[in-house]
Amino acid sequence: MTDPSRTRIDTTLARPERLSPDAGGIARAATLLEQGALVAWPTETVYGLGADARNGAAVAAIYAAKGRPSFNPLIVHLPEAQAAFTYAEWTADAARLAAAFWPGPLTLVLPLRADHGLSELVTAGLPSVALRVPAQPTARALLRAFGGPVAAPSANPSGRISPTSADHVLEGLGGRIAAVLDDGACPVGVESTIVGLTGTPALLRPGGLPVEALEAALGAPLLRPGPPDAHSVTAPGQLASHYAPRAPLRMNADAARPGELMLGFGPMACDANLSDRGDLQEAAANLFALLHRLDASGQPIAVAPVPMAGLGRAINDRLARAAAPRPDDPPET
Ligand code: TXA
Ligand code: MG
């Protein structure tokens, strides 16, 4: 008879477990996290690559699996807002935003408490921490079952297209994780909106919660740090090239050029459509899945203009990074 307590967890398993989003699958995922393994799990935005945020070796394994630069800190996921007090100095604006939008697609960057207990790798040595309480029921069930903070970036190789299904996760990280908790497609489809609250409230990343809603709740506009360029990192992780398909991507295209595949928005002739009725919520939910699908052809992608309002800001942000020069591209002359 095998003694289950002596089962060793190999975080480089060639064939990860695909777990169902039921009580058994969630319990297994929580056990793997307790044992320091990497578990990909669904949130309403994208799939995350989770590890115990207090376990330095487990967090180091996230960076290794993704090939992520270690100066780029991770979001810590919590089952409810109350748990945030353990890790961050709470502010009036944090209370207002958490009450209005948690659980949900919002990440708050707050001053780190002295006695936080998180691995230094999670915060990349910064005096701040990014916290999020996701709404997706399986995500919440896993966080409750695990009972601790879960560090999780998007579950894709660094710089590539984010995953909105378990299949995307397995395509990108298949040999490098212990398990994926498969709960189908992510309904929001773009990552959380990140708001910095270490000074004047600032929009660090547009995302699944529209900026207009945040500004209405705060009663004031958010600071908007300038767009990143290839040579500066304005906010950690806001790298110019990210979310990149293998082939080039061109934005604001009226039509495909020879050899290109056309990703449309609204009624038009195209190879795939973000939303043929021009709905931004539907477009966000489809964005990464359609980029994955078109990228499989290896052909360049042209994308129709997407309006710059509501979720359109997050969609345009992801497309601009997907279109940006890659670090290994030859320098422009
Ligand atoms: O929707 C999401 O946010 C997903 C799901 C899994 O929760 N996660 C996600 O994580 O998008 P990631 O690692 O792909 O993006 C996290 C971003 C990075 O750009 C990182 O630089 C930023 O959050 N970040 C983390 N901690 C920070 C901090 N202390 N200050 C500023 N930015 C921070
Ligand atoms: Mg990411």
Side-chain angles (χ1 to χ4, degrees):
M1 283 252 304
T2 320
D3 173 359
S5 66
R6 296 187 59 189
T7 308
R8 288 183 64 88
I9 303 301
D10 180 355
T11 54
T12 59
L13 288 177
R15 208 147 26 111
E17 296 173 40
R18 190 192 280 257
L19 303 171
S20 316
D22 53 19
I26 288 164
R28 175 71 181 148
T31 300
L32 287 166
L33 289 174
E34 280 158 23
Q35 293 175 332
L38 300 184
V39 177
W41 55 299
T43 79
E44 69 273 36
T45 58
V46 300
Y47 274 71
L49 178 60
D52 182 344
R54 301 158 299 191
N55 178 336
V59 175
I62 291 181
Y63 286 95
K66 277 184 67 94
R68 178 175 173 117
S70 60
F71 58 79
N72 189 0
L74 304 175
I75 297 173
V76 175
H77 298 74
L78 306 168
E80 72 257 317
Q82 201 75 5
F85 306 148
T86 310
Y87 307 106
E89 302 293 348
W90 209 233
T91 68
D93 285 333
R96 204 167 290 138
L97 294 182
F101 302 116
W102 274 357
L106 171 67
T107 294
L108 299 178
V109 173
L110 289 159
L112 187 61
R113 275 184 67 136
D115 51 350
H116 54 80
L118 300 170
S119 157
E120 292 290 334
L121 279 172
V122 169
T123 54
L126 292 172
S128 57
V129 63
L131 300 176
R132 163 153 135 79
V133 179
Q136 209 271 12
T138 301
R140 300 203 80 192
L142 175 60
L143 289 165
R144 280 199 210 98
F146 175 59
V150 175
S154 49
N156 53 285
S158 189
R160 311 308 298 195
I161 305 170
S162 299
T164 53
S165 73
D167 286 341
H168 296 159
V169 173
L170 293 171
E171 279 158 28
L173 297 175
R176 306 185 204 166
I177 59 176
V180 57
L181 187 53
D182 183 354
D183 195 13
C186 302
V188 173
V190 289
E191 291 85 346
S192 60
T193 303
I194 305 182
V195 174
L197 293 178
T198 54
T200 306
L203 178 68
L204 300 184
R205 177 177 74 183
L209 183 66
V211 176
E212 292 87 341
L214 285 159
E215 293 184 333
L218 284 171
L222 289 164
L223 281 183
R224 315 277 172 106
D229 61 50
H231 307 289
S232 72
V233 178
T234 48
Q238 305 304 292
L239 302 170
S241 172
H242 214 79
Y243 312 105
R246 287 169 300 171
L249 181 143
R250 189 167 66 84
M251 291 176 73
N252 298 317
D254 294 327
R257 293 176 185 156
E260 283 181 336
L261 292 176
M262 185 73 198
L263 180 56
F265 178 80
M268 61 190 298
C270 53
D271 297 287
N273 203 318
L274 289 166
S275 167
D276 46 21
R277 56 196 165 93
D279 178 79
L280 288 167
Q281 206 168 324
E282 183 180 38
N286 285 334
L287 176 68
F288 290 133
L290 292 180
L291 287 179
H292 276 282
R293 192 192 301 168
L294 296 182
D295 192 34
S297 73
Q299 282 172 257
I301 302 167
V303 190
V306 175
M308 197 58 174
L311 290 177
R313 289 179 207 281
I315 296 170
N316 279 300
D317 171 83
R318 305 306 185 269
L319 289 171
R321 291 175 208 277
R326 319 285 163 80
D328 47 1
D329 282 351
E332 279 177 354
T333 50

